[in-house]
Structures are given as C-alpha cells and as structure tokens.
Amino acid sequence: MATQRAQALPFALGWQPIEQTAAHGTLREHATRWRAFPIREQLQHDRQRVSALTWHVGDWHLDLSKQAWDVSVLQALLDLTHATALPQAIAALFAGEPVNLTERRAALHMAYRGSAQPPAAQRDRFVSEETRLAAFVAAYRSGALEGFSGAPLDTVVNIGIGGSDLGPRLVCEAFAHWGIARHGTVRFVANLDPSDFVTTTAELDPARTLFLVTSKSFSTAETLSNTRLARLWLARHFGVTPDDPRLNGHFVAVTNAVEKAEAHGFDSNRIFWLPEWVGGRYSLWSAVGLPIALAYGWETFAALRSGAAEIDRHFQSAPLEANVPVLLGLLSVWLATYLAQQQMAMLPYAHGLQLLPAWYQQLEMESNGKRVRFDGSTAPYPTAMAVWGMAGTLGQHAFHQWFYQGTQPIPIEFVAFAPEPAAADDDPLLRARADAEAALAANAVAQAEALLLGRSEAEAFTQVRAQGRTEADARALAPFLAIPGNRPSSFLLASRQRPETLGQLLALYEHATFVRGWLWGVNPFDQFGVELGKQMARQIETQSDAPHDPSTAQLLTWLKKAAR
C-alpha cells in the first residue's frame, strides 16, 4: 500500500508522460528544424541571441547561446515543465515528499545545507549528529585523537566507492589545487583491486593513520575488502592480531547500518549516521564529507554547503525561465530526447576539477540511466546521455580532434574560471602562474569558438597558399584541413575559486539531474540496475552451482587453470 502511495505521487502532482503533452509535438517539429545545427548562422543573424540565452547565478555565468536551440525551443521546453508539473515536483522535493518512489523515501540531502528539514521524527538525531561531527573534526585537527601507540592521528584514508568516494575526493582535489590550507594528509581508496590500497598507503605511517570507512549499507564488497586490508596493514605494523580492539581507534564508520558496523568491531562512538533519505551520489554534504572537513576544516566544509544552499534557494524560488538548474536540465532533455544525442563531453578547464567528469558521470548516468517510468511503462524516447571528459588542456591533445572533424557532433560542456589578477610584485614565478591561468582560460574560450566557426575549404586553401605551398598542394590539402563547425557547446564560467563556488556548481548539477529525471519520468534516486552484476559476482566468488552462459563458463574454466 505504501509503495502504491509513493508511486502515485507524480500523478497526484499532475505529472503526465511527455509524449502526451502538446509541447512534445511542438518540440518534435523544432527538432526537425534544428538537426542541421545552424548555430553559427543564428549567432550571426540574431543580435539578441546571446543575451536571451545567458544567465547568472552565484559566482557562475552560463552561456547556452552556442547550443543547438533558440528561444522558441526553450519556450516549448518551459511549456513541457508545466505540463509535467515540475514546479510542484520541486516543492515536493524540498518538502520531504517520497520523490524516491521505488524505495518510498524522501531525498533530503539539502537538509545538510540548511535548505530543507529532516523528517520530524529524526530532527533531534540530525542535530546531535551534526554536533558530534563538528566535535570530532575539532578533536582531529587539534591533535587530540591518538592511535594505537599514542601518536596523534594526522593522516586520513577514506575507504568507500561510488558516492562514498567520488564527491569527497573531487572536493579535496579541488581545494588542494586552489591553495586552501589543509591539515595533515588525505587520501582515498576505492577499487577492489588491492593495488589501490597498497599504493595509497605505501608511504604512510600506520601509527598516524585514521581510516574512514563509508558504506550506507555496510555491505559494499569493495569497501569491506579494503577495510580488511586496512586492519591487516595496521596489525602487521603493531605486531598484533587484526581483531585487537586497540586498533579500533584508527577507524571511523559512516553508515546507515549502525548495527552492522558495530558487528564488524567499530566503536559506537566512532560511527556516524548516514540517513536513509540521503542517496550515495548526493551524500558528500553529510558525514560522507568527513574527509573534507577533517582535511580542510569545519568552516570550509560549511562554506561548501553554503554555496550549495544558495543554489537550493535559487532552484526553489527563481522563475523557471531564469532558473539555472532548470535550464541545464531542459537543455539535456532537448538534446537527448529530441535531437537523439547519445553522449556529451564535460571539459573542466581547471586541473583541480579533473574529477568533475567522473563525479558527474555517476550523478547523471546512475541517476537517469533508466528506461522504466513512474507508471512502470518503458520510456518511448532516449533518456540520459553518456558522459565522459577530461581536464583541459589535456583533452585537446587526446580527443578534441574527434570534436573538430569526426562524423558525430556531440554537445560539449566547458567549465572554466576567470584568471586571478596578475601579481603586483616582481616575483617571476607568480607572474608566470598568472600568465598560465590566463592562457588556460583563453584556451577554453577559443576551443568553444573554433568548434562553432570551423574552417571552410576555401579558408584552408588560402592559409596553405600563404605558407608558400603550390596551388596544387593547397587544393590537395584543403579538404583535410577543413572543419565543418557548428559544433554545439555550453559554457560555465566562474569569477573565482572558493569553497562556495564549488558548492554552487555541484548543487546546480544535482538539481538539473532531478529536473531531467522528472520530465523523463524516471526515478533519479535509486540504482537497482547495478545490483545484478554484484549478485552474480558473489555467485562466482562462492563457486555456487548457478548455471552460466557458454562464454562465461569458458572464462571461468580459463581462470581456474590460470590460478593453478
């Protein structure tokens, strides 16, 4: 009965399948017009295009004028949001309604940003846990936490995978590159491959190392395997058995399954609660973000949350036509569902954000990589695009060639920062850094423009001739140098690098993911698909008698022979 009530929520709010809306037909007509991507011509002939398709929120400037759409497409998409009751869905999200339909849960990660209230029955526990977290961070950073030998703990190793790894790892990486003061060392272990643990801990002092074990269910195979390695690593160093209770001071757990953590030997005073209403890939704002707070301080962690809260308020209150998460979500619905784009590239021109594509990959593909809708029907249209990317300018020397002259134009999202002001003193190193930052920003802008404008055969011919080549050579080379142009891109540009700015960016993407899921009619807060592979892996590990397909049976036979 509860399941039926939860699954009825979209219909109670007024959601309907997009193919049943009038806006859907209009958008299909627009798609026919836009399949040739006449973006370059639109920019040349429509003087209002740039101002009509750019927005500002927080520290971020969003330019969508180089994308394959226009204001008439946007208006039809906005009509679609009303036909599918998106405003009501946003209100339900922040009100704690069970928008995670299949698991009958709210999605209230915004509570950690002060933008929503935890469920009434858990508010006291929520406040208490926040107090505990802050106190633990203060104790660690003051040197009051001691390990087995009495040495202060000043090195953090986070053991987790997926949402228990990517978010905190991304933030810590960004802050390190942005020069934010850090206390001690922070590292991350995620992979089941033991080489990940071995290389991560190779130069660490066990006596000073604190392991944060993060698993919502406390049954994640990779996390439990690496936790076992951690206990063995410590035990060997101290010359004790792995179950020696004196090792417990080197471990902290973040989980919803508190009893399971205790059963694994974790001290109840070192277990922090991860509520069931916080999904893994949305969890860095919670105790999952403990590595951030330990390394960079509670105030910095609070600033990250504060930036995200600014976007929460914007998402709740801004008109849809000026609501940046809504606009980002609508653009992806247009590209995937109506222009049949199957992939997008995310290119952060900031080395500190080199993990942003991987974080966003999980956020979007695990959230919206689904085909079954609220009513159990199969979506008759494409949903989430595949996401991939790399930090600029590294990608320019790896795969940008495909963007320029490949046969499949795909949407690209540039994320960049304005360079810091040049140093006033005469320090040549500081001046060189300022010059490099300016060059990095210039590269990002230039890539977007070059992909848009391209180069005709006639222009290529002229350039080759200007280099002194013969007319025959120039004509032979020109087709190879021609670049079609009209390649679509978005541009997110920030005015500065600070914790609030990163919080804003991550919250923008989180809410845009919710917008897409709602319009498509898929639940962005579950991930049942990934469970099947885990179940089959357990069957193979335990050598159960489950039947296998002929190819898998052959592989298993080969593995057994190779292991002898």
Side-chain angles (χ1 to χ4, degrees):
M1 198 65 178
T3 302
Q4 292 175 348
R5 284 199 301 271
Q7 291 179 338
L9 176 67
F11 305 98
L13 296 177
W15 178 85
Q16 58 179 318
I18 60 175
E19 72 272 16
Q20 296 178 13
T21 66
H24 179 70
T26 303
L27 287 164
R28 292 184 67 181
E29 293 173 4
H30 283 311
T32 301
R33 176 169 63 92
W34 275 96
R35 290 201 189 280
F37 292 155
I39 312 163
R40 181 176 51 203
E41 291 76 9
Q42 289 281 328
L43 278 165
Q44 290 171 345
H45 299 135
D46 183 357
R47 294 188 177 183
Q48 304 302 315
R49 180 176 172 83
V50 173
S51 60
L53 294 173
T54 57
W55 296 269
H56 299 269
V57 63
D59 295 337
W60 292 93
H61 170 82
L62 173 65
D63 183 349
L64 301 181
S65 65
K66 291 188 181 75
Q67 277 293 354
W69 68 343
D70 58 14
V71 292
S72 59
V73 173
L74 176 55
Q75 184 55 59
L77 289 164
L78 290 168
D79 292 342
L80 191 63
T81 65
H82 293 290
T84 55
L86 178 64
Q88 294 88 331
I90 294 171
L93 171 71
F94 282 89
E97 294 290 329
V99 292
N100 180 349
L101 308 176
T102 53
E103 296 176 309
R104 307 186 300 282
R105 295 173 183 164
L108 285 171
H109 46 281
M110 304 84 65
Y112 285 97
R113 310 189 300 226
S115 307
Q117 287 292 323
Q122 296 178 327
R123 285 175 192 170
D124 288 345
R125 184 179 187 184
F126 177 85
V127 172
S128 173
E129 286 291 314
E130 284 285 274
T131 301
R132 289 182 65 222
L133 277 173
F136 185 78
V137 170
Y140 171 81
R141 292 175 63 83
S142 71
L145 295 186
E146 297 179 350
F148 182 99
S149 64
L153 300 174
D154 60 8
T155 298
V156 170
V157 176
N158 188 78
I159 297 178
I161 196 167
S164 300
D165 168 74
L166 287 169
R169 191 193 291 248
L170 162 63
V171 174
C172 287
E173 178 97 6
F175 288 174
H177 282 269
W178 294 357
I180 297 174
R182 186 182 70 205
H183 175 83
T185 300
V186 59
R187 294 189 180 179
F188 294 82
V189 173
N191 206 315
L192 182 61
D193 185 336
S195 67
D196 188 13
F197 181 89
V198 171
T199 56
T200 299
T201 58
E203 299 173 3
L204 301 183
D205 180 357
R208 306 176 76 92
T209 300
L210 175 68
F211 289 97
L212 305 182
V213 179
T214 303
S215 172
K216 188 173 183 179
S217 65
F218 224 80
S219 60
T220 309
E222 296 89 344
T223 300
L224 294 181
S225 176
N226 282 315
T227 301
R228 179 172 178 268
L229 290 176
R231 292 197 74 93
L232 289 167
W233 181 73
L234 290 167
R236 182 175 65 178
H237 175 79
F238 293 116
V240 298
T241 60
D243 59 354
D244 192 311
R246 291 174 293 176
L247 298 179
N248 291 346
H250 289 264
F251 288 91
V252 169
V254 177
T255 185
N256 182 251
V258 173
E259 292 181 357
K260 283 187 179 180
E262 290 175 341
H264 277 80
F266 283 76
D267 186 330
S268 60
N269 293 320
R270 294 289 186 90
I271 301 173
F272 293 100
W273 176 53
L274 177 59
E276 70 278 359
W277 36 265
V278 175
R281 53 196 173 276
Y282 303 90
S283 64
L284 71 90
W285 319 100
S286 69
V288 173
L290 196 51
I292 305 167
L294 292 173
Y296 293 97
W298 190 260
E299 290 185 1
T300 300
F301 188 43
L304 179 80
R305 288 171 162 183
S306 175
E310 184 175 354
I311 300 304
D312 292 340
R313 293 188 293 270
H314 170 82
F315 186 48
Q316 288 179 280
S317 62
L320 295 185
E321 64 273 13
N323 194 309
V324 174
V326 170
L327 295 163
L328 285 170
L330 291 180
L331 175 62
S332 293
V333 170
W334 164 246
L335 294 171
T337 300
Y338 295 99
L339 294 187
Q341 291 284 2
Q342 296 181 328
Q343 55 184 312
M344 66 158 288
M346 173 171 280
L347 309 177
Y349 273 69
H351 204 69
L353 295 185
Q354 62 182 315
L355 294 176
L356 183 65
W359 174 84
Y360 184 64
Q361 196 173 59
Q362 187 203 18
L363 177 69
E364 177 61 10
M365 295 174 71
E366 192 165 88
S367 294
N368 290 330
K370 297 158 188 172
R371 59 186 178 82
V372 178
R373 298 190 292 187
F374 299 149
D375 59 1
S377 65
T378 298
Y381 43 73
T383 56
M385 294 181 284
V387 178
W388 56 278
M390 182 185 290
T393 59
L394 301 179
Q396 291 177 204
H397 296 268
F399 49 73
H400 282 218
Q401 163 64 37
W402 185 75
F403 295 153
Y404 281 105
Q405 292 182 309
T407 59
Q408 303 174 50
I410 69 165
I412 299 167
E413 189 142 304
F414 292 93
V415 179
F417 292 88
E420 294 288 331
D425 57 38
D426 294 326
D427 188 326
L429 177 59
L430 292 179
R431 288 203 310 273
R433 286 185 57 180
D435 291 345
E437 287 178 355
L440 182 66
N443 265 268
V445 174
Q447 289 292 307
E449 184 178 33
L451 287 163
L452 171 74
L453 298 181
R455 179 171 55 202
S456 68
E457 278 197 41
E459 290 170 332
F461 172 81
T462 301
Q463 290 179 12
V464 175
R465 285 289 283 152
Q467 296 168 2
R469 305 288 287 268
T470 66
E471 181 175 344
D473 280 351
R475 294 200 182 282
L477 278 173
F480 297 96
L481 300 179
I483 295 170
N486 266 326
R487 301 292 161 110
S489 67
S490 305
F491 211 105
L492 269 163
L493 178 64
S495 54
R496 47 190 169 168
Q497 295 178 344
R498 60 186 187 129
E500 292 89 343
T501 309
L502 183 55
Q504 292 165 11
L505 180 66
L506 301 184
L508 280 173
Y509 285 130
E510 285 180 350
H511 291 319
T513 296
F514 175 75
V515 170
R516 290 188 284 270
W518 185 265
L519 266 63
W520 284 323
V522 300
N523 179 8
F525 301 113
D526 66 16
Q527 58 275 343
F528 292 118
V530 300
E531 296 302 321
L532 178 60
K534 294 179 181 179
Q535 293 169 6
M536 298 184 78
R538 285 193 289 269
Q539 291 175 356
I540 290 173
E541 288 174 37
T542 58
Q543 298 182 346
S544 72
D545 294 329
H548 300 288
D549 69 87
S551 172
T552 301
Q554 182 187 59
L555 288 171
L556 292 174
T557 299
W558 188 89
L559 283 171
K560 289 178 182 179
K561 289 181 179 179
R564 290 174 185 168

